[in-house]
Amino acid sequence: MTSSSEADNAMMTMEIRLSLTFSHLSAAICFIAILINCILLSTIFRHRSTLVLASDYIMGKVITILSCASVFHALYMLSLNEMVAAEMSTLLNLSNSSNYSGGPLNSPGISRGLSSVGYVILTVIFSSNLLLAIERLSIIRYKSALTLRTIGTVCVMGVTVSTLFVSSFILANGGVSWMAFPFPVPCNDPDACTIAATSAPTILFVIGLAYYVLTSVAVCVCYENSYFCVQDLFEKAAGHDVDSRVARNFAKLQRKVLLRCIALSIGLVLFYIPDIVIVVMAVFAPDSFDGMSNLAMTAMLCLVTFVPTFDPLWTPILVVLCQEDFKGALLEDFGWRPTSKDYQPKDVELSCM
């Protein structure tokens, strides 16, 4: 009996240390993301007249909003992970973990408030990515900016989804299940965190998650169509008499556009869809996890919690790599002066390709 108890304690200690390690790693990545986004935002502020205010397109404005949202999202994730790390450290130092009542994340009021704030930030991120994808396609295909109707529709959907998430946590009778950051789930039982798939809070919550999935699909479709539009332009240009050197340049540009479209569309899918799948399984098919050991379950949840922390870091990198005007302004702030052959800040169509 003693050896069995010691083995259980050793396994629990391993699970706690694993959670503690991933929490600190996630917090470190979030801190780096905050610094990089702040550097980008300082560049946007210095060059706001050319990057944001002078253009007829909303791309510069949406990128600014997305960068601000990335800062808040990284700060939010950093705070959550440090709260978890503090709880894990406390559990390691306790001789009897059953005496521990939990930290701030176990308080229903605090956890509901944090969850609501987190989903509002996530909705801003998804909606901003959707607007960027639609406008990029509009610029390449129609050489025109988005209409106010399109912008208003996306904004109304974002506000509606945020309202659904906030309402789901207000209506929930219990606390919050923090099984997968940054997608907490509203619970129905105040004593034991159970999730009822047919309750009103859960239905509102799942509808909100559906918006994230549909937005990710729409972003991928927009960038896919953008690539094929650019490819058609290349093929029309190549249909005329061109020498082999020009043909090779076209091929290089096509590859560049393909890689850029993949990079722009893969972020939401890679960083968030695995978490959404885990959360939906926990709501509608909780028995799916019964065959997993506690250690395996802890490792899986640590991994799906760790991956989304890269999104606030990925966003400024993509902005610099895919927006020539922002890249030129950032390099100029670091002392590199672009020549006439380099970046053209107002050439939005070229930047979209």
Side-chain angles (χ1 to χ4, degrees):
M1 182 69 69
T2 304
S3 59
S4 176
S5 177
E6 290 177 352
D8 291 341
N9 290 335
M11 186 63 65
M12 183 178 297
T13 301
M14 187 181 300
E15 294 168 12
I16 293 174
R17 290 190 183 278
L18 184 63
S19 299
L20 182 63
T21 301
F22 271 95
S23 295
H24 283 314
L25 284 175
S26 299
I29 293 172
C30 290
F31 180 75
I32 295 172
I34 292 172
L35 293 179
I36 295 177
N37 276 285
C38 287
I39 292 173
L40 179 61
L41 284 171
S42 66
T43 294
I44 294 174
F45 179 77
R46 291 192 189 97
H47 299 269
R48 59 189 180 278
S49 59
T50 55
L51 296 178
V52 180
L53 302 178
S55 176
D56 295 330
Y57 302 104
I58 66 166
M59 191 169 292
K61 301 176 182 64
V62 176
I63 288 175
T64 305
I65 294 173
L66 183 58
S67 298
C68 292
S70 295
V71 171
F72 287 113
H73 184 49
L75 184 61
Y76 172 76
M77 291 288 290
L78 187 152
S79 302
L80 290 181
N81 280 285
E82 284 304 312
M83 288 181 190
V84 172
E87 290 189 19
M88 296 299 106
S89 297
T90 303
L91 287 173
L92 279 177
N93 296 326
L94 286 178
S95 57
N96 187 0
S97 59
S98 61
N99 295 330
Y100 183 59
S101 60
L105 295 181
N106 296 99
S107 170
I110 294 176
S111 58
R112 289 177 191 172
L114 287 174
S115 301
S116 300
V117 170
Y119 278 112
V120 170
I121 296 172
L122 275 177
T123 304
V124 172
I125 291 174
F126 275 82
S127 300
S128 299
N129 276 281
L130 180 60
L131 282 173
L132 288 176
I134 296 175
E135 180 163 78
R136 188 177 293 269
L137 177 60
S138 178
I139 293 172
I140 294 174
R141 176 175 288 179
Y142 305 111
K143 297 287 192 294
S144 64
L146 291 182
T147 62
L148 290 177
R149 178 180 296 180
T150 303
I151 298 171
T153 300
V154 175
C155 292
V156 168
M157 287 192 302
V159 172
T160 303
V161 170
S162 297
T163 304
L164 290 176
F165 279 119
V166 173
S167 300
S168 70
F169 287 99
I170 292 176
L171 296 175
N173 295 322
V176 173
S177 173
W178 294 95
M179 63 178 301
F181 293 167
F183 295 100
V185 184
C187 299
N188 303 98
D189 191 339
D191 298 321
C193 192
T194 57
I195 304 170
T198 57
S199 66
T202 305
I203 292 173
L204 295 176
F205 173 77
V206 172
I207 293 174
L209 287 184
Y211 171 78
Y212 292 162
V213 176
L214 294 176
T215 299
S216 301
V217 173
V219 168
C220 292
V221 170
C222 286
Y223 284 123
E224 179 189 11
N225 281 275
S226 298
Y227 169 71
F228 286 117
C229 287
V230 174
Q231 190 178 35
D232 289 341
L233 294 175
F234 287 155
E235 289 177 353
K236 290 178 181 179
H240 304 288
D241 294 331
V242 293
D243 56 29
S244 58
R245 182 178 60 83
V246 175
R248 287 195 300 271
N249 288 336
F250 277 148
K252 290 180 180 178
L253 283 173
Q254 281 182 302
R255 288 195 295 271
K256 181 179 179 181
V257 171
L258 176 61
L259 293 175
R260 180 175 293 186
C261 288
I262 292 174
L264 288 167
S265 61
I266 199 66
L268 295 180
V269 176
L270 182 63
F271 298 132
Y272 295 111
I273 295 302
D275 285 64
I276 293 176
V277 171
I278 296 296
V279 169
V280 171
M281 289 175 63
V283 173
F284 294 104
D287 296 339
S288 303
F289 305 107
D290 288 346
M292 299 181 65
S293 65
N294 290 337
L295 182 60
M297 186 70 177
T298 301
M300 181 189 70
L301 294 180
C302 286
L303 184 60
V304 298
T305 300
F306 179 63
V307 171
T309 58
F310 285 95
D311 183 51
L313 188 62
W314 182 244
T315 297
I317 293 174
L318 276 186
V319 171
V320 173
L321 291 179
C322 298
Q323 294 296 130
E324 302 293 343
D325 47 353
F326 283 79
K327 181 178 180 180
L330 183 65
L331 292 175
E332 185 177 341
D333 284 349
F334 279 92
W336 183 81
R337 300 290 177 180
T339 63
S340 59
K341 295 181 180 180
D342 294 313
Y343 306 110
Q344 304 295 328
K346 295 184 182 180
D347 197 352
V348 180
E349 289 86 353
L350 179 62
S351 180
C352 286
M353 292 186 184

